[in-house]
Each structure stands twice: as C-alpha cells, then as structure tokens.
C-alpha cells in the first residue's frame, strides 16, 4: 500500500489532481500495482480525505498529547518519538499530529514501521495542500547514515 501512496505523491501534486477512483484504479493497475494494494490505498486515502475535510486548528499550540495504551502499542516507541520530534520542532501542529496518529492507527500491524510513518506524515501534508520545508523532507527521506554533517 505504501508504494501506491508514494507513487500518488510523486505523480499528483495535490489530492484534487487525482482522477476518480475508477480511473485511478485503472492507471495504478497499468503501472503494475496489485488490485488488493490499490484498494487498500484508496480506502486509506478516503479516510485521509475525511480527516483533511474536518481539519481545523482547534487545539492550542501548547496542547499536550497523552497516548493511550493501544496507540503506544500500535505506533511503537520509534514512531511516537518521531511524532514528538516533529511536534516539538513546530513542524507538526497538534491538529496535523492527530491526523497522522489517526491514519497510522488505520494501518494493520504493530508496531508501526518508522519508514511507513514517515510516508503517512508526508501524505498528511499532501492532503492539506502543504509542502513540507526542505529540512523536513530531508528528515522524511534521507537515512541517518547517509546524511552529511557540515
């Protein structure tokens, strides 16, 4: 499913540029994605679209997030740490953080793989029509061992 999401991010600059589900399914099949993977991704994107529609900044900048036991188990330590890092850096405001957590909880399997969580973060930005700055893109895509320290 995550390969489909990355393909959509790279191919369509924003969600409203995507064709309807039937046409998108045909295009994704033609590219070589499996039907199950396509349907899972489209279903997940429907949930993301719903979350993006109800996105609003009702939580204050200083709000604190307390994770439930189920969320901690599902997300895993690395993912919770990454979400906290992005939030403390001011890159992931509380409403976007909640979208990330909601969409991560919709993925089966636990604990969440950190690389998959990074794709979810990217898709949340994409769904809101926001482009993450270069430093965040670097954090999302460049492996720590490949970073150059200046």
């Amino acid at each position: 499913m995550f390969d489909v999401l990355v393909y959509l991010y790279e191919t369509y600059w924003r969600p409203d540029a995507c064709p309807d589900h039937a046409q998108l399914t045909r295009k994704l099949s033609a590219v070589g994605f499996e039907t199950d993977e396509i349907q899972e991704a489209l279903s997940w994107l429907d949930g993301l679209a719903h979350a993006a529609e109800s996105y609003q900044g009702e939580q204050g900048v200083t709000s604190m997030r307390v994770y439930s036991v189920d969320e901690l188990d599902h997300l895993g330590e690395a993912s919770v740490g990454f979400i906290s890092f992005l939030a403390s850096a001011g890159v992931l405001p509380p409403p976007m953080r909640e979208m990330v957590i909601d969409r991560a909880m919709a993925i089966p399997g636990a604990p969440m793989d950190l690389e998959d969580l990074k794709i979810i973060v990217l898709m949340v930005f994409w769904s809101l029509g926001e482009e993450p700055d270069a430093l965040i893109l670097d954090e999302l895509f460049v492996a720590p061992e490949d970073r150059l320290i200046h």
Side-chain angles (χ1 to χ4, degrees):
M1 176 184 90
F2 288 102
D3 291 336
V4 174
L5 296 178
V6 170
Y7 177 83
L8 292 175
Y9 179 83
E10 292 174 345
T11 306
Y12 301 100
W13 291 95
R14 51 186 205 279
D16 57 350
C18 288
D20 63 70
H21 276 6
Q23 186 178 4
L24 187 56
T25 299
R26 285 191 302 275
K27 285 184 176 200
L28 292 169
S29 290
V31 172
F33 292 108
E34 298 292 326
T35 303
D36 292 345
E37 189 177 25
I38 294 168
Q39 293 310 315
E40 186 180 0
L42 293 179
S43 176
W44 188 88
L45 283 171
D46 287 341
L48 180 61
H50 182 265
E53 287 173 7
S54 61
Y55 174 80
Q56 43 186 307
E58 73 250 3
Q59 295 173 325
V61 176
T62 59
S63 69
M64 181 190 332
R65 179 61 154 90
V66 177
Y67 292 88
S68 72
V69 172
D70 287 342
E71 290 171 334
L72 289 171
D73 289 343
H74 187 80
L75 294 171
E77 188 177 318
S79 294
V80 170
F82 187 71
I83 292 169
S84 297
F85 163 71
L86 293 176
S88 67
V91 175
L92 199 62
M96 285 178 76
R97 177 193 63 212
E98 294 307 309
M99 285 178 67
V100 168
I101 294 168
D102 174 69
R103 294 292 71 214
M105 293 299 290
I107 303 295
M112 165 82 36
D113 183 66
L114 183 57
E115 296 308 311
D116 293 344
L117 180 79
K118 289 178 178 183
I119 294 169
I120 292 171
V121 170
L122 186 67
M123 294 307 291
V124 166
F125 275 96
W126 180 77
S127 73
L128 298 172
E130 296 184 22
E131 181 71 29
D133 67 27
L135 293 175
I136 295 307
L137 285 174
D138 182 56
E139 189 64 41
L140 292 173
F141 288 113
V142 178
E145 61 273 5
D146 294 337
R147 289 201 177 105
L148 294 175
I149 300 174
H150 299 282

